[in-house]
Amino acid sequence: MPAKLAISYHEVTKSFGSLTAVDGVSLDIADGEFLAIVGGSGSGKTTLLRLANRLIEADGGTITVEGEDVRNVDPVALRRRIGYVFQSGGLFPHLSVADNIGITPKLLGEPAAAIAGRVDELLELVQLDRASHRDRLPEALSGGQRQRVGVARALAAKPRIVLMDEPFGALDPLTRDALGEDFRDLHRKLGLTSVMITHDMTEAILLADRIAVMRGGRLLAQGTAAELSSSSDDYVLELLRTPRRQVERLNTLLPKSGAA
Amino acid sequence: MSLFTDPRWGEALSHLADYLGNHVRVSLAALALGLAVSLPLAILTRNRPAPRGILLALASIVQTVPGLALLALFYPLLLLAASVTLAWFGVSFSAFGFLPAMLALALYSMLPVLRNGITGLNGIDPALIEAAKGVGMTARQSLVMVELPLALPVMMAGIRTAAVWVIGTATLSTPIGQTSLGNYIFAGLQTQNWVFVLFGCLASALLALAVDQLLGLIESGLRHRSRLRSGLGAAGIAALVAATLVPTMGRSSSGYVVGAKTFAEQYVLSALMRDRLQAAGLSATARSGLGSSVIFEALKAGDIDLCVDYSGTLWANQLHRTDIKPRAELVAELKTELAKQNITLLGELGFENAYALVMPRKRAEALGIRTITDLAAHASTLSIAGDYEFFSRPEWAALQKAYGLQFRAQRQMQPDFMYAAVASGEVDVIAGYTSDGLIAKYDLVTLDDPKHAIPPYDAILLLAPKRAGDEQLKTALQPLLGKIDIATMREANLRASGNDANSSPDAVAKWLWEKVGKR
Ligand SMILES: Nc1ncnc2c1ncn2[C@@H]1O[C@H](COP(=O)(O)OP(=O)(O)OP(=O)(O)O)[C@@H](O)[C@H]1O
Ligand SMILES: [Mg+2]
């Protein structure tokens, strides 16, 4: 029997005018899974993600979240129970780090003291020093710190599902790697279902359980890295060639660690 | 005398509580009303380009109407509204003073508030509005928690601009009967009292600056989430409002209100009448600087109790008559006609303040001009100046018709500058006033009107309908009737046009009473 589904897309279509941004996509995301969505710019990744918490509405097909058709769920309630990390960070510039993180619990009417405690916990979880960061405005943070706050905010209302739109984009490779690993640990520790959009196939292979490949609004392929490598689609193979080439070049250029 | 030791500063200061209080009240009420209308409109239209465009266009059109005209327009508009509510609902309201001023100023405040409100709300990064939705905010929460705070600096800038505009423009509400710091400016301009003009300008500039700073304090408090700062700013504004309410509460509203138009003679006569009423133990205040068309309506509506007007003016403007009668006959007929509107024509003061065509004596002699008929032969090479209403008055049409006058150029001028302008040759002829003291001062002559195109302009004392049976009032005013001859009034007017302490309307009124009281 297949695992319980966190999110399920069934023949979902979304157009903007004459442009079909998402074109008949069917995709199941199992409970507890870490899925990466990979694809070129404009391939429909963000659109697919926004459909799940009804930031936009589908034109056709069905989307279910934890078994319920999203059309039957109040969109505001739906968004409050799904964590969302925005492509551009999306932190509110007029609110402190603590107020940004605590916003969804506040909207849910949780008491201030409980929220304050939760904010401290989350700052620790995303490894930001709470004394020095709590009361800062987003403008006073580095790019990497902002991404961490974005992740903390998405987790604040204890969601079971987290959607992340290029959460680690625009970061230096070291920070990006560290943040990715940190999130992978959180995902496991909290038992989350995580969906992450990325341009970077290497990142997808390293972090996710499964990878979905988008192109021109269509879902080209989905599966583990190993499954994808046996795909017959040229574009998918092309995407996988890049990390392979990188590994080969690195192996020839870098002395093996542990060698005397 | 040094500018700083001039006693008129003291006199100016004695009016400050009244003028400033009224100024603050009407400005802040207008601003509050303007905000209450504009802010919701800015919010409602933020995602609707079509109504937004229409709204901004309308507000821009309002802004292009000069402040004085906008204020003046509201008076007849409200008069009409008041007569409609009276006919339909049996209730009426005063179309005079506070209400028209407040409404016009509120309208005036809308453009900057709307424009900045809309700009501020539309300038927000759409990614942030999406984020607000994404974290689970309703549309309303997004507005209150994200959009408004982010638009706040731009919106506040608009509110501050509106506040400064309204406080400045409120000085123009004097002619429609709203006391304001403009009373200093209007009175000062008319009586050549530069201390008053300066004082009025300084006071309104300081007030605008203070309100701007208080609003800035509120803004910075909101932005930095400092309750202290926004609290201090709000307390400052509240204190300003509270301070202006104190003088009103102390003043009785049962007193007589003496109206005066916007020129020196009227300031002096209203001060004289007020003094007479007070001497008779009646409480009285002067409401001066009223527009010429406003004052008669205000009298009719009972917003003022008494005023001095001129027979020819009412003959033409109220009765729409173009025929001309001898002085006494015209007054008698006017009295009967006004009585039909329940207005009492108590009597003539004794002098005439007629329009007359005026030239420098030497120039007139050189050209051989003694009468308007003589003038007509030279008119095509000459220029004429008149006050703001002269060229649209029936007298001007009558003069043109009777004498075939065609001037090379015609200009409108502030009445007090006309005499100097004609004396210096800047214009050749002016439509002056026969009772003006400057005619003698500048050695000017009034040209004869052999065809009697200009009607007589006896100064007459009028009482509001509600004072028709007020014997106490009539007795108090009786000593003035028939006592003020043209020479005395000219001298009084000349004194009033001086620029020193003895030239204030109050001082001249005292001098005038000393001269005529014993007659
Ligand atoms: N609100 C919208 N209105 C019109 N077109 C849109 C809208 N949102 C997205 N699109 C279009 O839909 C297509 C898919 O956009 P989407 O944002 O899903 O791409 P993406 O895969 O996330 O790209 P990127 O990697 O650059 O973020 C693009 O061609 C985009 O221009
Ligand atoms: Mg995207």
Side-chain angles (χ1 to χ4, degrees), chain A residues 14-17 19-22 37-50 56 87 165-166 197-199 214 216-217, chain B residues 130:
Chain A
K14 174 70 187 179
S15 302
F16 297 107
L19 180 118
T20 308
V22 168
I37 302 176
V38 184
S41 202
S43 59
K45 306 180 297 293
T46 299
T47 305
L48 190 66
L49 211 60
R50 290 164 81 210
I56 48 176
Q87 185 161 6
D165 195 348
E166 295 187 44
I197 292 175
T198 177
H199 278 118
M214 298 273 302
Chain B
E130 164 118 337

Side-chain angles (χ1 to χ4, degrees), chain B residues 200-256:
Chain B
C201 292
L202 279 177
S204 85
L206 283 177
L207 178 64
L209 212 64
V211 170
D212 183 53
Q213 288 304 307
L214 287 172
L215 288 173
L217 202 61
I218 295 180
E219 178 194 350
S220 118
L222 287 174
R223 218 193 302 188
H224 299 102
R225 315 174 116 226
S226 154
R227 287 246 171 78
L228 179 71
R229 263 186 261 179
S230 40
L232 274 178
I237 300 242
L240 214 52
V241 174
T244 66
L245 294 178
V246 176
T248 345
M249 291 188 292
R251 212 183 310 134
S252 71
S253 55
S254 62
Y256 294 89

Side-chain angles (χ1 to χ4, degrees), chain A residues 50 53 55 76 79-80 82 84 86 88 90-95 99 103-104 106-107 153, chain B residues 125 127-139 141 145-147 149-150 223 225:
Chain A
R50 290 164 81 210
N53 71 347
L55 282 172
V76 172
R79 291 178 206 134
R80 288 176 185 178
I82 298 179
Y84 199 109
F86 290 89
S88 53
L91 298 185
F92 302 121
H94 60 298
L95 298 182
D99 288 342
I103 192 82
T104 308
K106 184 175 170 188
L107 294 171
R153 183 173 73 178
Chain B
D125 182 359
L128 287 175
I129 295 178
E130 164 118 337
K133 221 168 144 188
V135 300
M137 290 186 191
T138 60
Q141 286 167 332
M145 300 170 81
V146 176
E147 295 166 59
L150 289 176
R223 218 193 302 188
R225 315 174 116 226

Side-chain angles (χ1 to χ4, degrees), chain B residues 21-38 62 67 70-75 77-78 93-110 162 165-167 169-180:
Chain B
N22 278 295
H23 197 101
V24 169
R25 230 172 298 141
V26 76
S27 312
L28 292 189
L31 200 59
L33 181 67
L35 287 182
V37 175
S38 320
V62 168
L70 188 67
L71 283 155
L73 271 176
F74 258 83
Y75 181 66
L77 222 62
L78 281 182
F93 54 87
S94 169
F96 181 72
F98 185 81
L99 203 59
M102 199 265 284
L103 291 177
L105 291 172
L107 209 55
Y108 215 54
S109 75
M110 284 179 63
W165 283 7
V166 163
I167 290 173
T169 311
T171 54
L172 300 176
S173 60
T174 298
I176 55 169
Q178 168 61 32
T179 301
S180 73

Side-chain angles (χ1 to χ4, degrees), chain A residues 168-248:
Chain A
F168 313 127
L171 292 180
D172 71 86
L174 275 182
T175 316
R176 183 173 179 152
D177 194 44
L179 212 54
E181 285 302 325
D182 289 350
F183 185 79
R184 171 90 219 167
D185 292 344
L186 278 178
H187 167 82
R188 211 174 296 132
K189 197 157 86 188
L190 301 175
L192 300 171
T193 302
S194 305
V195 184
M196 175 182 76
I197 292 175
T198 177
H199 278 118
D200 182 351
M201 186 52 110
T202 312
E203 185 178 62
I205 295 171
L206 291 175
L207 296 179
D209 303 326
R210 234 154 43 91
I211 299 164
V213 179
M214 298 273 302
R215 192 182 194 192
R218 307 190 66 93
L219 183 65
L220 276 189
Q222 53 172 311
T224 60
E227 283 164 4
L228 288 187
S229 64
S230 62
S231 162
S232 58
D233 190 282
D234 286 346
Y235 183 70
V236 175
L237 295 176
E238 175 63 32
L239 284 177
L240 285 170
R241 216 165 286 143
T242 313
R244 278 225 180 83
R245 255 202 314 266
Q246 285 174 337
V247 171
E248 279 161 19

Side-chain angles (χ1 to χ4, degrees), chain B residues 266-435:
Chain B
Q266 287 270 324
Y267 283 87
V268 170
L269 291 175
S270 65
L272 177 66
M273 292 189 286
R274 180 204 58 206
D275 290 350
R276 283 304 90 216
L277 297 188
Q278 287 174 348
L282 304 171
S283 111
T285 51
R287 184 81 77 88
S288 36
L290 301 179
S292 177
S293 57
V294 169
I295 194 164
F296 188 78
E297 297 299 334
L299 184 81
K300 213 155 71 174
D303 291 312
I304 59 173
D305 298 288
L306 62 153
C307 65
V308 168
D309 215 318
Y310 305 93
S311 57
T313 304
L314 298 179
W315 188 253
N317 292 356
Q318 298 303 323
L319 306 185
H320 307 292
R321 297 279 289 263
T322 49
D323 56 321
I324 300 210
K325 303 201 165 192
R327 273 176 82 169
E329 251 175 74
L330 193 140
V331 169
E333 190 169 341
L334 190 61
K335 183 171 182 155
T336 323
E337 290 297 324
L338 290 178
K340 291 179 189 160
Q341 304 184 41
N342 299 319
I343 291 173
T344 310
L345 195 164
L346 198 60
E348 300 106 307
L349 292 179
F351 71 94
E352 248 193 298
N353 183 1
Y355 274 109
L357 298 190
V358 176
M359 289 183 78
R361 178 182 305 283
K362 290 206 180 89
R363 186 87 196 282
E365 279 167 5
L367 293 172
I369 298 175
R370 286 190 55 249
T371 67
I372 303 178
T373 317
D374 302 337
L375 178 69
H378 295 273
S380 60
T381 62
L382 303 177
S383 61
I384 183 170
D387 64 26
Y388 300 117
E389 54 180 294
F390 179 72
F391 295 111
S392 49
R393 287 179 68 118
E395 292 88 342
W396 173 235
L399 269 176
Q400 281 181 304
K401 196 164 159 236
Y403 297 96
L405 284 175
Q406 278 302 333
F407 284 91
R408 180 173 53 76
Q410 84 189 35
R411 289 169 61 185
Q412 296 186 359
M413 274 189 196
Q414 166 80 11
D416 284 286
F417 298 152
M418 281 190 320
Y419 299 91
V422 75
S424 70
E426 200 186 317
V427 293
D428 302 305
V429 184
I430 58 169
Y433 317 112
T434 51
S435 65

